[in-house]
Amino acid sequence: MLNLSNIMDTIRMIDQQHLDIRTITMGISLLDCVSEDPRRCCDKIYDKITRSAANLVRTGENIEKEFGIPIVNKRISVTPMALVAGSCETKNYVPFALAMDRAAKECGVNFIGGFSALVQKGFAKGDEYLLEAIPEALSCTDIVCSSVNVGSTRAGINMDAVARMGRIIKQTAALTRDNDGLGCAKLVVFCNAVEDNPFMAGAFHGVGEADRVINVGVSGPGVVYHALQKCKGQPFDVVAETIKKTAFQITRMGQMVAAEASRRLDTPFGIVDLSLAPTPAVGDSVARILEEMGLEVCGTHGTTAALALLNDAVKKGGVMASSHVGGLSGAFIPVSEDEGMIAAALGGTLTIDKLEAMTCVCSVGLDMIAVPGDTTAETISAIIADEAAVGMVNSKTTAVRIIPVEGKTVGDMVEMGGLLGSAPVMPVHRESAASFIARGGRIPAPLQSLKN
């Protein structure tokens, strides 16, 4: 039963502690849009998206007003475009991205994800053409997001794809140089990508999903931070229990919004992703949670242990509050989107090496990291390979969203605005990995891939 105390707690979380629903994402299958004629395929893509998501934004806004719960983003994810466009008699996949962009703008959403390919074990024809199109597609669209899965625990790591992604990221940065490489902020390279992720830029609608589905991503680092202020000096057992109880409250709100959106849109409810997704706002930072546990600065020794506790407690608390938990779920550490991470990076405590260690115990991976514009494609590929190895060996989703900013060097700031925030340009190792990347082939899957 709800009581006055519960209601007042929730009001305080929303009003003072940055609690929000980060996104309602409608997943849409485009498998029935396949056609040999590329123009006909694009028309069918546009029609399917606009028809399916016509009421998504209005429904989200109505729920916001009626329940008083902020819903920051309304988004769409679609079937990986390499699968949809693979039968078309064309080598140019940019028009498919343009069709996605037009449809998403017509629906009024913030982003659309799914200009994607799954190449963990090799390239089909559609994969080849989609990868070639990514730089131009991201430079000539506004809200299209792209992702490529280059590895998995089951398949190993496709190092030919890793090498290509380093070059593609550099090309994308060059084509969007006037916006400080902003196109790269809409491109994610995955290992073990999931099919029901509501968060951009990595969202796509998996082939095992229903024709349409509603997935919701919750947030709330500020709520957890405020909760921990009440248990200063307490043992970690108390810290973990406090986070679990808080995560339950956050996720329960997400479950309610998801169920209501599902009912009003007559679309099946998929999952609640109970990730702690930070924003650039002061007081809405994952880094500040870790510091509240006793670290002087995020990135110092002890950070990985603190993050492991946080990630585990969030999942344990949240899983009891929703009928279906999925997506990525845990704690995100996007540097540019977290004011505490930005401060730690500017101070030199938080480095790419430390972030890589942190990704072993949290959600996703090296996220929204700006690097010098003269960073080579091979170095970017090597960073991707390292992060993919973390995901492959640990049977978890990892990713890299890295932005080489032309004309900028270590210590410069890159302003991207909105939820993307501002990124300090971080140093990379200057020693070459070119010969390593040039080998190509596939890094074999670990022994646990043989589980059946």
Side-chain angles (χ1 to χ4, degrees), residues 156-375:
I157 303 172
N158 183 347
M159 290 300 292
D160 293 317
V162 169
R164 288 183 65 171
M165 290 313 301
R167 298 192 293 271
I168 287 167
I169 289 169
K170 288 286 287 185
Q171 293 164 11
T172 303
L175 289 177
T176 57
R177 65 171 68 86
D178 292 342
N179 292 317
D180 287 334
L182 186 61
C184 297
K186 301 184 291 177
L187 174 59
V188 181
V189 186
F190 275 116
C191 178
N192 288 322
V194 297
E195 295 189 331
D196 56 3
N197 167 25
F199 286 102
M200 299 298 168
F204 63 86
H205 187 69
V207 295
E209 298 285 317
D211 189 63
R212 291 193 310 162
V213 70
I214 288 292
N215 296 321
V216 166
V218 299
S219 187
V223 179
V224 175
Y225 172 74
H226 280 83
L228 290 184
Q229 289 182 318
K230 299 176 183 178
C231 54
K232 291 183 182 293
Q234 296 294 313
F236 283 115
D237 313 74
V238 176
V239 172
E241 284 301 310
T242 302
I243 295 170
K244 283 164 60 178
K245 292 174 182 177
T246 307
F248 179 90
Q249 292 176 283
I250 295 168
T251 308
R252 202 64 182 162
M253 188 181 75
Q255 171 73 23
M256 180 186 70
V257 170
E260 188 65 19
S262 172
R263 183 184 67 80
R264 296 188 185 194
L265 291 165
D266 192 26
T267 300
F269 161 58
I271 57 94
V272 172
D273 186 319
L274 48 92
S275 296
L276 293 182
T279 72
V282 174
D284 200 28
S285 161
V286 170
R288 299 305 186 196
I289 296 174
L290 305 181
E291 291 168 359
E292 184 61 28
M293 291 186 197
L295 303 174
E296 184 175 356
V297 178
C298 177
T300 192
H301 304 298
T303 299
T304 305
L307 185 58
L309 183 154
L310 173 64
N311 207 61
D312 180 66
V314 165
K315 291 183 179 181
K316 286 176 178 174
V319 76
M320 298 297 293
S322 175
S323 54
H324 297 288
V325 170
L328 300 167
S329 289
F332 287 177
I333 52 172
V335 174
S336 78
E337 300 173 16
D338 186 310
E339 61 86 15
M341 298 280 178
I342 294 168
L346 285 171
T349 306
L350 189 65
T351 64
I352 292 179
D353 288 343
K354 184 60 178 179
L355 283 164
E356 182 184 311
M358 293 164 68
T359 64
C360 296
V361 299
C362 76
S363 297
V364 198
L366 299 173
D367 197 14
M368 290 302 292
I369 294 172
V371 297
D374 62 356
T375 304

